[in-house]
């Protein structure tokens, strides 16, 4: 629990409480002016409470607290937990003999009784079995003192250590799982807290657009559906999930997680028969400086490096790279070039090269990855040296500094590279070796270094050039291999390659298919597409469906290549608008560019200046089902509902299913996207974080280990209550300590409340002449199960410190010291703060961005001006090859 850092004057001990050191009058006189850095290191900022819970969840009691200052590492947590477990496992007899106050354990009074033969054999030796010892684990054996005196040894055995997934705690869990432990800890099973695992899993699906089975999904889709133009879906979603849950501002409120993965939400998503359209840019909900009105008239789309989308904008002319974070991150590329009219864009994934068509100037390229074109800004000393060795400028044994390496590279470029073609920071103009398209209008690429360039030739004819591109590490040039004239076309605006078929989008005449069959080329219009539509700007293909934008009709259409059926995917015919939601009910302005990442579609709306995503909600539903399965397994439920009881075999099966789902998503991306070039994935790669994946796997392994330990020790695994291996005891304790207090406690406040909380916790478990609980509900967190056989009356009393005396002058000195160097400041909670969703003083609705319908871009003028700019160059007649 976080504490308010600061010093408080204790009237009883006459000390300043709040640091890991004893600050009394002697300390103050010896250190009248403390060092700021030293004070930062010793002032307490956190209270770490230890709560023990029986496996059957009948008893849950707080037993200790550690006050932590700055800079505790995973090793520090590991050492602290080892010491606390050693103290908890002290037997009753040793406590009564060596701890006079019978409350606070401060000495190592209970030595484990270990047998060398048992350790060597890995089981119970004959000698130990004869004296009645039934276990090889020290925690289940009598201690040395009780064994020697033939006394019954009664003690607690710590089976599991459960902690949240904060980095230092996660490191400690991993150390417990991987290192050789002391004899009294051989039975210990480390386990991450399922509540915190679900929180981090849920947060991953809110911060990033995750990827599963070809679909992108994010929890922000639930907020989009709460505002759906379809009244039926809108009302159902508002009833199933609250605005507080879909905003996810309070990162510590677990109610939000329970709401978003409730059965009602999943049922709505499962029953949806249409796709969902969501605006990525500008973000309709989370507005910040990087995602405001970034684009005015986006024209073309293409999928860039995995997790990124590349977009060209014609007014003002620029190309941006959009990372699929939520909200999206936007960065400008081609920053070294002065573009005039970027109308088309494509990305060669294997080489990391982006090609953009500027209909006024030509074709430009940008090496985004820095692996094809030499760019010293993206190269370290090793890569620079390897490059110079390959060029024959340097010997590998030469020792040269980075500035000298860069100078050698510049000298080579000045002497051996044509300055007219040389790339600038990986950016340059594509050099076309032989005659081809004079004024390109659109481009696409394939994985084998092939470019398909379409535009006007010197005779004002529409022509497609099949070109291959090559590089000398300083520039890129293309060589035209084949030229194809497309008859009866007016304004080509889009290309899409599918197997041996090239689909050509014409604003006036629909879609034309160019087919390569051996050495022959066939050109034909796609039947069923040309007549019912207004115009075609861009096209893409997913399996047997051909999707294309119809900017004049304000819609995205779908044409099934097998059944020849034409349908509406998104938007309403001849209805302009700017709304998100169910694809068949949303409204578009002027859809232009469209591209696909497997089964997810990305769309540009030129008139409204927005970038949209169209996805199937089933992917999100499947993710929420897995999250719900983990919650159900551990009996985590909303207030007012009954916890689900499951056996350990069922729990292992359920967590195994969830683990297989998340591992399957990761392996799919590693194998099919990155081709095993990386070892793990995180949010930018479209999965939950690696740490969260490891925590889910650790949950499954820990449950298996608990089952095996129960079988080994001869007691039934069915005694395990899944709620007993959660940190609900800690959360319940903290909720009670916060009750009636609206300020974050300081160390002294916490210590005073903690003693009362411990006493009240014991009262609930003892035999007394009254009923402790008079109301069913105390806090949100469920209580431990009530046990009829309560523990005996406690004989201990928490010892009170002895009262000290100080003179008036000394008391004034201590209080002045506190006021000058240790007064606490007002704490600002981070639970309800966000850099991208800042609340103001007005109602939330007042901060929503007004979604205006933009002005239509005259696409015919854009492409018509291109044809008029052609200079008629005398050349031989072009013909269909």
């Amino acid at each position: 629990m976080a504490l308010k850092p600061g010093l408080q004057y204790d009237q009883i001990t006459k000390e300043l409480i709040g640091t890991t050191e004893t600050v009394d009058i002697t300390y103050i006189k010896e250190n009248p002016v403390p060092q700021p850095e030293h004070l930062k290191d010793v002032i307490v900022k956190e209270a770490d409470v230890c709560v023990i819970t029986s496996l059957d969840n009948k008893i849950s009691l707080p037993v200790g607290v550690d006050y932590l200052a700055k800079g505790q590492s995973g090793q520090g947590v590991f050492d602290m937990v080892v010491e606390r477990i050693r103290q908890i496992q002290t037997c009753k007899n040793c406590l009564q003999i060596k701890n006079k106050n019978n409350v606070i354990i401060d000495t190592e009074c209970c030595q484990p009784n270990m047998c060398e033969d048992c350790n060597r054999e890995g089981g119970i030796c004959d000698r130990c079995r004869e004296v009645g010892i039934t276990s090889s684990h020290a925690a289940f054996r009598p201690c040395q003192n009780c064994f020697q005196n033939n006394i019954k040894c009664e003690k607690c055995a710590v089976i599991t250590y459960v902690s949240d997934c904060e980095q230092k705690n996660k490191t400690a869990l991993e150390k417990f799982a991987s290192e050789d432990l002391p004899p009294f800890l051989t039975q210990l099973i480390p386990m991450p807290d399922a509540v915190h695992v679900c929180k981090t899993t849920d947060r991953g699906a809110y911060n990033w657009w995750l990827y599963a089975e070809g679909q992108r999904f994010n929890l922000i889709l639930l907020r989009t559906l709460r505002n759906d133009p379809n009244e039926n879906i809108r009302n159902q979603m508002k009833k199933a999930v609250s605005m507080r849950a879909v905003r996810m501002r309070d990162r510590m409120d677990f109610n939000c997680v329970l709401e978003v993965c409730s059965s009602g939400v999943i049922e709505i998503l499962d029953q949806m028969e249409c796709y969902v359209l969501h605006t990525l840019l500008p973000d309709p909900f989370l507005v910040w400086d990087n995602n405001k009105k970034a684009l005015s008239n986006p024209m073309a789309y293409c999928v860039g490096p995995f997790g990124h989308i590349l977009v060209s904008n014609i007014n003002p002319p620029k190309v941006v790279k959009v990372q699929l974070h939520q909200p999206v991150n936007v960065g400008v590329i081609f920053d070294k070039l002065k573009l005039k009219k970027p109308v088309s864009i494509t990305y060669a994934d294997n080489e990391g090269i982006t090609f953009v068509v500027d209909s006024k100037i030509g074709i430009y390229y940008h090496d985004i990855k820095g692996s094809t074109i030499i760019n010293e800004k993206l190269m370290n000393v090793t890569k620079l040296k390897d490059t110079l060795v390959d060029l024959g400028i340097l010997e590998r044994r030469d020792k040269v500094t980075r500035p000298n390496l860069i100078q050698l590279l510049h000298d080579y470029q000045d002497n051996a590279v044509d300055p007219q073609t040389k790339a600038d920071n990986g950016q340059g103009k594509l050099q076309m070796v032989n005659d081809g398209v004079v004024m390109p209008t659109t481009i696409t690429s394939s994985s084998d270094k092939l470019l398909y360039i379409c535009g006007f030739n010197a005779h004002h004819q529409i022509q497609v050039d099949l070109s291959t591109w090559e590089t000398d590490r300083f520039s890129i040039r293309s060589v035209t291999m084949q030229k194809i004239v497309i008859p009866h076309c007016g304004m080509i605006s889009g290309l899409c390659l599918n197997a041996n078929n090239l689909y050509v989008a014409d604003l006036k005449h629909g879609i034309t298919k160019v087919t390569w069959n051996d050495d022959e080329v066939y050109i034909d219009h796609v039947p069923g597409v040309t007549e019912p539509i207004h115009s075609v700007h861009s096209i893409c293909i997913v399996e047997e469906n051909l999707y294309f934008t119809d900017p004049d009709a304000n819609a995205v259409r779908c044409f099934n290549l097998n059944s020849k059926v034409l349908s509406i995917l998104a938007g309403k015919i001849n209805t302009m608008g700017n709304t998100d939601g169910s694809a068949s009910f949303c409204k578009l302005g002027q859809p232009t560019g469209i591209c696909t990442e497997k089964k997810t579609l990305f769309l540009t709306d030129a008139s409204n200046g927005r970038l949209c995503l169209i996805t199937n909600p089933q992917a999100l539903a499947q993710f929420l089902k897995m999250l719900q399965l983990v919650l159900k397994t551990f009996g985590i439920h909303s207030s007012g509902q009954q916890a689900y009881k499951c056996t350990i075999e069922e729990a292992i099966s359920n967590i195994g299913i969830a683990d297989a789902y998340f591992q399957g998503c990761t392996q799919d991306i590693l194998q099919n996207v990155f081709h095993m070039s990386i070892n793990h994935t995180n949010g930018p790669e479209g999965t939950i974080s690696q740490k969260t994946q490891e925590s889910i796997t650790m949950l499954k392994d820990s449950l298996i280990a608990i089952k095996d330990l129960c079988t080994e020790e001869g007691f039934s695994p069915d005694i395990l209550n899944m709620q007993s291996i959660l940190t609900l005891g800690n959360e319940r304790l903290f909720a009670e300590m916060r009750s009636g207090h609206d300020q974050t406690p300081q160390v002294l406040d916490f210590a005073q409340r903690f003693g009362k909380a411990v006493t009240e916790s014991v009262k609930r478990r003892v035999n007394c002449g009254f009923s402790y609980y008079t109301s069913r509900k105390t806090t949100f967190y469920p209580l431990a199960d009530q046990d009829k056989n309560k523990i005996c009356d406690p004989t201990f009393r928490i010892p009170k410190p002895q009262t000290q005396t100080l003179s008036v002058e000394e008391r004034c000195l201590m209080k002045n010291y506190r006021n000058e160097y240790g007064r606490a400041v007002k704490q600002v909670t981070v639970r309800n703060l966000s850099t991208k969703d800042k609340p103001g003083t007005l109602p939330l609705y007042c901060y929503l961005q007004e979604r205006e319908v933009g002005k239509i871009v005259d696409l015919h003028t854009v492409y018509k001006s291109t044809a008029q700019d052609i200079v008629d160059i005398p050349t031989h007649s072009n013909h269909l090859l």
Side-chain angles (χ1 to χ4, degrees):
M1 180 176 180
L3 302 179
K4 181 191 292 186
L7 302 180
Q8 286 180 295
Y9 180 68
D10 186 0
Q11 298 286 352
I12 298 177
T13 63
K14 303 299 187 294
E15 295 177 357
L16 295 181
I17 308 300
T19 69
T20 56
E21 300 177 339
T22 301
V23 183
D24 53 13
I25 188 61
T26 303
Y27 179 93
I28 293 176
K29 290 180 178 180
E30 294 176 353
N31 303 276
V33 180
Q35 295 295 325
E37 293 299 324
H38 176 71
L39 193 59
K40 287 180 183 179
D41 293 336
V42 299
I43 199 163
V44 175
K45 303 177 181 65
E46 181 182 357
D48 194 337
V49 176
C50 179
V51 176
I52 59 173
T53 305
S54 60
L55 285 179
D56 57 3
N57 202 35
K58 299 295 184 181
I59 298 176
S60 182
L61 296 173
V63 295
V65 60
D66 289 279
Y67 298 102
L68 308 178
K70 176 184 177 182
Q72 190 178 35
S73 62
Q75 182 64 46
V77 174
F78 176 83
D79 295 338
M80 181 183 70
V81 172
V82 168
E83 178 64 16
R84 297 298 167 260
I85 293 177
R86 183 193 61 76
Q87 293 172 331
I88 291 171
Q89 293 185 159
T90 301
C91 75
K92 180 180 179 181
N93 184 53
C94 293
L95 283 174
Q96 293 173 341
I97 294 175
K98 296 187 178 181
N99 287 274
K100 296 180 180 180
N101 58 35
N102 204 26
V103 176
I104 300 176
I105 305 173
D106 54 6
T107 60
E108 190 172 346
C109 57
C110 194
Q111 297 296 328
N113 174 28
M114 292 304 299
C115 173
E116 295 182 359
D117 294 337
C118 292
N119 291 337
R120 184 170 53 255
E121 297 176 6
I124 307 173
C125 67
D126 295 337
R127 183 167 56 87
C128 292
R129 188 176 285 108
E130 290 176 358
V131 297
I133 295 177
T134 59
S135 176
S136 60
H137 298 290
F140 299 122
R141 299 166 68 103
C143 70
Q144 190 70 29
N145 182 53
C146 294
F147 181 74
Q148 292 175 354
N149 295 291
N150 198 24
I151 302 174
K152 183 179 180 181
C153 188
E154 300 179 55
K155 61 180 177 180
C156 295
V158 179
I159 304 297
T160 64
Y161 163 60
V162 184
S163 175
D164 61 38
C165 297
E166 187 180 353
Q167 183 57 52
K168 60 182 181 180
N169 297 329
K170 185 64 178 294
T171 302
L173 289 173
E174 293 170 350
K175 291 179 71 66
F176 277 114
S178 60
E179 293 190 3
D180 292 334
L181 300 177
F184 63 89
L185 288 179
T186 56
Q187 84 292 345
L188 186 69
I189 301 170
M191 175 180 288
D193 179 38
V195 173
H196 291 84
V197 171
C198 291
K199 279 184 181 181
T200 55
T201 304
D202 175 86
R203 203 68 199 178
Y206 188 81
N207 290 337
W208 296 95
W209 285 91
L210 303 186
Y211 178 92
E213 298 180 353
Q215 297 284 357
R216 290 280 180 177
F217 61 91
N218 187 282
L219 291 178
I220 199 66
L221 293 176
L222 300 181
R223 188 170 182 180
T224 298
L225 293 175
R226 288 188 88 258
N227 301 322
D228 198 277
N230 184 343
E231 184 178 1
N232 184 34
I233 294 178
R234 182 172 67 249
N235 293 337
Q236 289 183 35
M237 191 59 71
K238 286 185 176 181
K239 184 178 180 180
V241 63
S242 65
M243 174 62 76
R244 177 177 57 87
V246 296
R247 289 184 74 200
M248 286 292 292
R249 286 182 52 81
D250 191 344
R251 292 168 290 180
M252 298 177 65
D253 188 356
F254 198 69
N255 273 321
C256 298
V257 181
L258 294 170
E259 279 194 58
V260 298
C261 61
S262 63
S263 298
V265 172
I266 295 175
E267 183 178 354
I268 295 172
L269 296 176
D270 278 335
Q271 293 177 353
M272 288 188 64
E273 298 180 353
C274 61
Y275 282 58
V276 177
L277 183 144
H278 173 79
T279 298
L280 298 174
L281 190 69
D283 196 287
F285 308 119
L286 308 181
V287 181
W288 61 311
D289 293 338
N290 196 24
N291 70 356
K292 290 182 180 178
K293 194 73 173 179
L295 302 175
S296 300
N297 301 122
M299 184 61 61
Y301 239 149
C302 79
V303 177
F306 192 73
H308 297 80
I309 302 298
L310 306 177
V311 190
S312 66
N313 188 79
I314 61 171
N315 184 27
K318 61 180 176 180
V319 178
V320 299
K321 181 170 69 171
V322 178
Q323 186 181 29
L324 294 178
H325 186 265
Q326 174 54 35
V328 295
N329 296 323
V330 182
V332 177
I333 59 176
F334 288 95
D335 54 323
K336 297 295 182 180
L337 304 174
K338 294 182 179 180
L339 302 175
K340 293 185 178 181
K341 192 186 291 186
V343 294
S344 182
I345 188 170
T346 188
Y347 178 72
D349 184 45
N350 291 344
E351 294 77 20
I353 304 293
T354 301
F355 296 93
V356 62
V357 170
D358 190 315
S359 59
K360 290 288 187 180
I361 306 174
I363 302 176
Y364 287 90
Y365 61 85
H366 184 188
D367 184 5
I368 296 179
K369 293 183 179 179
S371 58
T372 303
I373 302 298
I374 295 176
N375 184 356
E376 64 268 15
K377 291 187 177 180
L378 302 179
M379 303 170 73
N380 56 26
V381 173
T382 302
K383 289 184 177 180
L384 273 172
K385 188 172 182 179
D386 291 342
T387 300
L388 293 176
V389 170
D390 294 340
L391 294 173
I393 305 174
L394 197 68
E395 294 291 337
R396 192 170 297 278
R397 63 176 179 271
D398 295 340
K399 295 183 179 180
V400 187
T401 62
R402 178 181 173 84
N404 292 333
L405 290 173
I406 294 176
Q407 186 59 47
L408 288 173
L409 181 61
H410 289 172
D411 294 342
Y412 178 84
Q413 290 176 327
D414 294 338
N415 297 326
V417 182
D418 185 359
Q420 298 296 326
T421 62
K422 182 180 67 173
D424 183 8
N425 291 326
Q427 306 173 37
K429 185 174 182 180
L430 181 67
Q431 304 302 311
M432 306 180 73
V433 175
N434 48 6
D435 295 334
V437 170
V438 178
M439 280 293 176
T441 59
T442 185
I443 189 173
T444 190
S445 61
S446 63
S447 59
D448 48 358
K449 288 190 175 183
L450 290 179
L451 292 177
Y452 298 82
I453 305 170
C454 187
F456 295 96
N457 61 20
H459 298 284
H460 297 267
Q461 297 173 314
I462 299 296
Q463 178 176 304
V464 175
D465 288 351
L466 174 58
S467 305
T468 181
W469 62 271
E470 55 190 29
T471 178
D472 59 359
R473 303 295 306 278
F474 295 98
S475 63
I476 296 178
R477 65 174 188 170
S478 71
V479 179
T480 303
M481 300 170 55
Q482 193 173 14
K483 304 174 185 179
I484 304 171
V485 174
I486 309 295
H488 310 297
C489 283
M491 298 180 182
I492 303 300
S493 54
L495 295 175
C496 179
L497 185 65
N498 182 37
N500 291 331
N501 300 320
L502 180 68
Y503 292 87
V504 182
D506 187 345
L507 280 172
K508 292 184 176 181
H509 303 101
I511 299 175
T512 300
K513 182 174 72 171
V514 180
T515 304
W516 282 268
N517 188 2
D518 296 330
D519 295 332
E520 297 181 355
V521 177
Y522 300 93
I523 301 176
D524 192 13
H525 284 286
V526 177
V529 178
T530 56
E531 296 302 329
I533 66 173
H534 294 73
S535 61
V536 177
H537 186 275
S538 297
I539 51 181
C540 67
I541 295 178
V542 179
E543 297 176 345
E544 71 277 3
N545 293 319
L546 186 150
Y547 299 99
F548 62 92
T549 55
D550 189 346
D552 292 346
N554 320 110
V556 178
R557 300 177 185 261
C558 174
F559 178 74
N560 190 285
L561 297 173
N562 295 333
S563 64
K564 311 300 180 185
V565 175
L566 184 66
S567 59
I568 304 297
L569 175 68
K572 291 188 175 182
I573 298 297
N574 298 327
T575 304
M576 288 191 65
N578 189 353
T579 58
D580 293 349
S582 302
S584 55
F585 286 85
C586 67
K587 294 181 181 179
L588 300 171
Q590 191 179 20
T592 50
I594 190 172
C595 68
T596 176
E597 182 190 55
K598 295 296 183 180
K599 300 178 183 179
T600 303
L601 299 176
F602 295 93
L603 174 72
T604 60
D605 189 341
S607 63
N608 292 324
R610 62 174 177 160
L611 313 180
C612 305
L613 172 145
I614 303 176
T615 187
N616 192 325
Q618 301 302 321
L620 177 58
Q622 184 64 21
F623 175 87
L624 294 179
K625 288 177 183 177
M626 294 298 106
L627 189 58
Q628 183 191 59
L629 186 61
V630 177
L631 296 172
K632 176 183 176 181
T633 299
F634 287 90
I636 306 170
H637 58 89
S638 299
S639 180
Q641 297 182 351
Q642 291 294 325
Y644 178 78
K645 304 287 186 180
C646 71
T647 63
I648 191 168
E649 289 83 2
E650 185 181 357
I652 293 172
S653 175
N654 290 346
I655 303 302
I657 292 173
D659 183 51
Y661 167 79
F662 292 114
Q663 292 291 344
C665 294
T666 300
Q667 289 301 315
D668 176 42
I669 293 175
L670 288 176
Q671 294 176 4
N672 300 324
V673 177
F674 294 98
H675 307 291
M676 305 307 293
S677 60
I678 59 176
N679 298 323
H680 58 268
T681 60
N682 289 289
E685 288 78 38
T687 68
I688 59 176
S689 69
Q690 180 197 9
K691 292 292 185 182
T692 303
Q693 294 179 56
E694 293 173 352
S695 296
I696 297 174
T697 302
M698 186 180 289
L699 275 177
K700 180 190 67 174
D701 295 340
S702 298
L703 290 174
I704 295 174
I706 291 175
K707 178 185 176 182
D708 293 342
L709 181 64
C710 291
T711 303
E712 177 186 349
E713 297 302 324
F715 52 90
S716 173
D718 293 336
I719 67 171
L720 175 65
N721 185 319
M722 300 305 296
Q723 287 189 334
S724 69
I725 48 179
L726 302 175
T727 59
L728 293 178
N730 299 67
E731 301 294 348
R732 183 168 56 248
L733 175 69
F734 294 155
E736 292 177 357
M737 294 183 68
R738 294 189 189 102
S739 179
H741 304 278
D742 56 354
Q743 296 291 330
T744 304
Q746 292 182 246
V747 177
L748 184 59
D749 300 327
F750 184 92
Q752 293 169 345
R753 298 179 199 173
F754 182 75
K756 296 178 181 178
V758 171
T759 303
E760 297 303 309
S761 297
V762 174
K763 283 182 181 179
R764 302 188 190 116
R765 314 311 307 168
V766 302
N767 292 315
C768 51
F770 59 89
S771 177
Y772 186 88
Y773 292 106
T774 58
S775 64
R776 182 176 181 84
K777 179 177 175 58
T778 55
T779 68
F780 163 73
Y781 301 100
L783 296 164
D785 296 338
Q786 298 301 300
D787 189 4
K788 296 180 181 179
N789 300 318
K790 295 184 178 181
I791 61 177
C792 60
D793 294 337
T795 59
F796 72 88
R797 292 291 182 269
I798 297 178
K800 296 183 179 180
Q802 296 181 354
T803 303
Q804 304 294 328
T805 58
L806 290 177
S807 64
V808 176
E809 292 78 8
E810 289 176 330
R811 289 201 299 270
C812 291
L813 179 62
M814 295 197 71
K815 292 180 179 180
N816 290 336
Y817 188 93
R818 187 276 312 267
N819 294 335
E820 185 70 22
Y821 306 116
R823 178 178 289 277
V825 298
K826 184 177 181 181
Q827 303 294 294
V828 179
T829 177
V830 297
R831 291 186 60 172
N832 200 34
L833 289 181
S834 172
T835 59
K836 301 163 187 172
D837 190 9
K838 295 181 179 179
T841 57
L842 301 178
L844 179 63
Y845 182 78
C846 300
Y847 296 97
L848 293 180
Q849 296 296 304
E850 185 176 358
R851 308 189 66 169
E852 301 177 350
V853 179
K855 296 180 180 180
I856 292 293
V857 178
D858 191 347
L859 299 177
H860 296 274
T861 301
V862 171
Y863 294 101
K864 185 177 180 181
S865 62
T866 300
Q868 294 174 346
D869 289 340
I870 299 176
V871 178
D872 211 351
I873 303 175
T875 182
H876 59 274
S877 177
N878 289 277
H879 59 280
L880 179 64
L881 299 181

